[in-house]
Amino acid sequence: MKKIILLFSLSLFLSCNTSTNKEPEAKQTNNTEKQQDSVANFGIVIHGGAGTILKENMSDSLEQEYKAKLEEAIKVGHKILANGGTAIEAVQRTINIMENSPLFNAGKGAVFTNEGKNELDASIMDGQTLNAGAVSGVTTVKNPINLAWEVMGNSEHVMLSGKGAEQFAKERGLEIVDPGYFYTENRFKSLERLKAKNTKKTELDHDGKTAFVDPFIKDSKFGTVGCAALDKNGNLAAGTSTGGMTNKKWGRIGDAPIIGAGTYANNKTAAISATGWGEFFIRGVVAYDISALMEYKKMSLAQAAKEVIQKKNPELGGSGGIIAIDHQGNVSMEFNTAGMYRAKMNKNGKLEIGIYKN
Amino acid sequence: MKKIILLFSLSLFLSCNTSTNKEPEAKQTNNTEKQQDSVANFGIVIHGGAGTILKENMSDSLEQEYKAKLEEAIKVGHKILANGGTAIEAVQRTINIMENSPLFNAGKGAVFTNEGKNELDASIMDGQTLNAGAVSGVTTVKNPINLAWEVMGNSEHVMLSGKGAEQFAKERGLEIVDPGYFYTENRFKSLERLKAKNTKKTELDHDGKTAFVDPFIKDSKFGTVGCAALDKNGNLAAGTSTGGMTNKKWGRIGDAPIIGAGTYANNKTAAISATGWGEFFIRGVVAYDISALMEYKKMSLAQAAKEVIQKKNPELGGSGGIIAIDHQGNVSMEFNTAGMYRAKMNKNGKLEIGIYKN
């Protein structure tokens, strides 16, 4: 069945590509907006990570860089959707833009592990079929979200890890890079800063929480990326890609590659991608919990997202946020941190970008 | 907070150990049964895997071996609970018995990967705190469930993987074995049989499903082990341990180490451990879905387990089962396969063991 779905997706992609040449502008005139009201609903929403993102710590030029990259990324997905492409294709291509930017903790720009490596995780889910793919701990695959998509479409599995996942990536012909590709000076300095603090932590073990949490919040949650989309056929998809935590050890896996925690999509409810302190998102089964509240308690997406992110997640001790879109095109960008890089775009091309709390 | 919980768990464990000397018999006389009706409710349930387990394929002596081992395992956990020990301790110790037996696909007796290795996954969750621990792809840790418990209690993480997880196991002083410890002749022959069939699969790629599914069902689902328990303090816990799929490749991770899919526990609802075709259990977020149906739709455990295992899981294309116990001590052992190795034991010591469908 997976193969049939893949062929179907590919044919949609191809038919979408044939119409790509028209290249409609994302932002429409008023007249065109009126015309589009009769067009099937679609929309897209993205995040670039949540954490202690404060205006006083951000230069104007860096803020502009983030906003420009968020806009570039979301417009790629929006164009695919506008041309009749699939939600899952839009999710993948949008995430690629953020993975390829050093601004975000995913792909190029991923944070460093304790051993000074970049180990990448990603997952993707199709709300129509509940098919899903995920990878953890890959070090040589340029775009982990593409590998997650390959796992979904071209393996009997949902989740692959480490060297084995890299072998599968090679067999599928994905772009392989030298691990050095992922090096960025900023992220490496973050590791060095954190390691210096960790020495202190060993001396003050009882005070470990302060030493652990502070730099983690300030550095590591700044960049997980994610996308959720609704296409013109009413299909939902979500994806998440990350480098995880700076200074992570012991092959730590966070919520990003966990279906139900970091990523979930179901045409009945919504497509959701999470970002934040991964351990608490796993324990709270955050992405699926939002879907379950919608399906079983008949909450709206906004209510469900608020319940999980503003109540359940902080009560457990966690922090972070989600972006989501439901089957009617309603969007949520809910977070309990100081900021979350985020953007949304509806069928009329109306674009909203945010970084801090409103 | 984790440290406080750990100390609390340890103190409960120690207080339980001091009373262990009483060693009450699990099966009580009628008089004692009446006395125990006033004792706080507790109970335990286990599985040793679900799949095409048919009486005509099973010798009487092998059937007796399975039953004896299930009884031995569940009585270990029941005794801990009867003596006032914690649910999570009961889960861990019970699973250890099954991990140490070559009868089950977990620990000693784990199936082989395509590369001829044994890669083990496990997870555990505490329903009181929603704390959880999980490991994937470990090859040298004798009891992976103990490592999952260490991750939960003694790291800032929920999930560790591969070599990193093994390093953490060493640092925590867990029992490390040579990978050869996990070798069993039966499992190795299963790999050889499946590899022979896989050659055929390559020739008949369009017919891959038959070649893939048949030996997978017959061999690989026979042995994931799991346990769920309710202790006298009203706390729930669940755990799962497995060697995964025979002939698995590319660092495949199944549902067993995924919190929400293979394992979930919440004092509000139930403790659940799953076994079956892992990919479908991940996509269905099976263990958490049962909890969500109970919490949000006010279903009983029996209703929720039936909905998920008899309806949602087969509709998605999956197969397998779950064992679960709710906060009132009600037990479910629901499966959609021909059989599931299983046992349950209530506070009065009433023991029920099953293999095939009733």
Side-chain angles (χ1 to χ4, degrees), chain A residues 103-122:
Chain A
L103 290 173
F104 304 100
N105 175 17
K108 176 83 179 169
V111 299
F112 284 84
T113 68
N114 180 265
E115 290 177 319
K117 289 199 231 172
N118 307 100
E119 290 181 357
L120 311 170
D121 304 331

Side-chain angles (χ1 to χ4, degrees), chain A residues 8 42 79 110 112 116 135 145 150 187 205 218 228 297 304 323 331 340 349-350 358:
Chain A
F8 181 62
F42 69 94
K79 190 163 137 182
F112 284 84
V135 292
I145 196 74
E150 283 286 339
R187 301 295 187 190
D205 198 35
K218 286 213 177 126
K297 287 198 86 170
I323 54 97
V331 163
M340 179 169 79
K350 188 182 170 196
N358 289 330

Side-chain angles (χ1 to χ4, degrees), chain A residues 13-301:
Chain A
F13 172 54
L14 290 171
S15 67
C16 135
N17 265 10
T18 56
S19 60
T20 305
N21 297 331
K22 292 174 192 167
E23 302 220 356
E25 280 301 302
K27 291 203 181 183
Q28 308 288 340
T29 64
N30 279 347
N31 275 349
T32 323
E33 269 186 7
K34 275 178 197 162
Q35 283 168 10
Q36 288 210 341
D37 282 344
S38 62
V39 167
N41 208 357
F42 69 94
I44 185 166
V45 57
I46 62 175
H47 70 76
T52 312
I53 310 169
L54 296 167
K55 191 153 178 69
E56 57 260 37
N57 298 334
M58 178 84 80
S59 68
D60 285 347
S61 62
L62 188 59
E63 189 177 308
Q64 283 315 309
E65 273 189 69
Y66 273 108
K67 285 184 174 174
K69 190 54 73 174
L70 289 168
E71 182 171 345
E72 179 192 343
I74 202 166
K75 281 186 170 172
V76 166
H78 190 271
K79 190 163 137 182
I80 289 168
L81 297 171
N83 287 330
T86 63
I88 203 146
E89 178 78 16
V91 164
Q92 186 198 357
R93 299 295 175 204
T94 298
I95 288 178
N96 285 167
I97 304 296
M98 293 189 282
E99 283 179 331
N100 294 346
S101 161
L103 290 173
F104 304 100
N105 175 17
K108 176 83 179 169
V111 299
F112 284 84
T113 68
N114 180 265
E115 290 177 319
K117 289 199 231 172
N118 307 100
E119 290 181 357
L120 311 170
D121 304 331
S123 65
I124 198 162
M125 187 161 184
D126 179 340
Q128 183 186 16
T129 59
L130 303 184
N131 249 326
V135 292
S136 71
V138 297
T139 61
T140 61
V141 179
K142 187 182 177 192
N143 293 108
I145 196 74
N146 297 7
L147 181 52
W149 196 70
E150 283 286 339
V151 172
M152 184 186 112
N154 290 304
S155 84
E156 298 283 351
H157 302 306
V158 168
M159 189 169 184
L160 302 183
S161 63
K163 296 291 169 204
E166 291 170 4
Q167 180 59 36
F168 177 73
K170 273 186 209 165
E171 291 177 22
R172 297 298 314 164
L174 291 194
E175 188 170 354
I176 304 297
V177 292
D178 184 88
Y181 163 80
F182 297 106
Y183 177 90
T184 53
E185 195 181 345
N186 278 344
R187 301 295 187 190
F188 197 73
K189 280 185 179 163
S190 294
L191 173 67
E192 288 178 329
R193 274 200 305 275
L194 189 48
K195 277 192 165 179
K197 285 200 188 179
N198 259 8
T199 312
K200 190 179 157 199
K201 185 190 165 193
T202 314
E203 288 168 4
L204 293 170
D205 198 35
H206 61 281
D207 193 27
K209 195 159 176 152
T210 316
F212 176 79
V213 174
D214 184 42
F216 172 62
I217 302 236
K218 286 213 177 126
D219 289 326
S220 302
K221 286 198 225 157
F222 266 27
T224 298
V225 307
C227 178
L230 169 68
D231 66 30
K232 287 182 175 177
N233 290 311
N235 292 323
L236 290 164
T240 310
S241 183
T242 189
M245 285 169 54
T246 296
N247 201 25
K248 67 184 176 184
K249 288 202 287 187
W250 305 314
R252 178 257 190 188
I253 297 177
D255 64 317
I258 307 293
I259 298 301
T263 301
Y264 188 75
N266 190 328
N267 277 6
K268 278 188 193 172
T269 53
I272 303 128
S273 168
T275 172
W277 194 339
E279 277 69 11
F280 293 90
F281 280 67
I282 294 177
R283 291 166 57 196
V285 200
V286 162
Y288 183 66
D289 199 25
I290 291 170
S291 174
L293 284 167
M294 293 176 70
E295 185 176 356
Y296 300 148
K297 287 198 86 170
K298 305 299 171 197
M299 283 189 184
S300 68
L301 170 60

Side-chain angles (χ1 to χ4, degrees), chain B residues 89-106:
Chain B
E89 179 78 17
V91 164
Q92 184 198 358
R93 298 296 175 201
T94 298
I95 288 177
N96 285 167
I97 304 296
M98 292 189 282
E99 284 179 331
N100 294 346
S101 162
L103 290 172
F104 305 100
N105 175 17

Side-chain angles (χ1 to χ4, degrees), chain B residues 189-206:
Chain B
K189 281 184 180 164
S190 295
L191 173 67
E192 287 178 331
R193 275 199 305 275
L194 189 48
K195 278 192 164 178
K197 287 198 187 179
N198 257 9
T199 311
K200 190 179 158 196
K201 185 190 163 193
T202 314
E203 288 168 1
L204 294 168
D205 198 32
H206 60 282

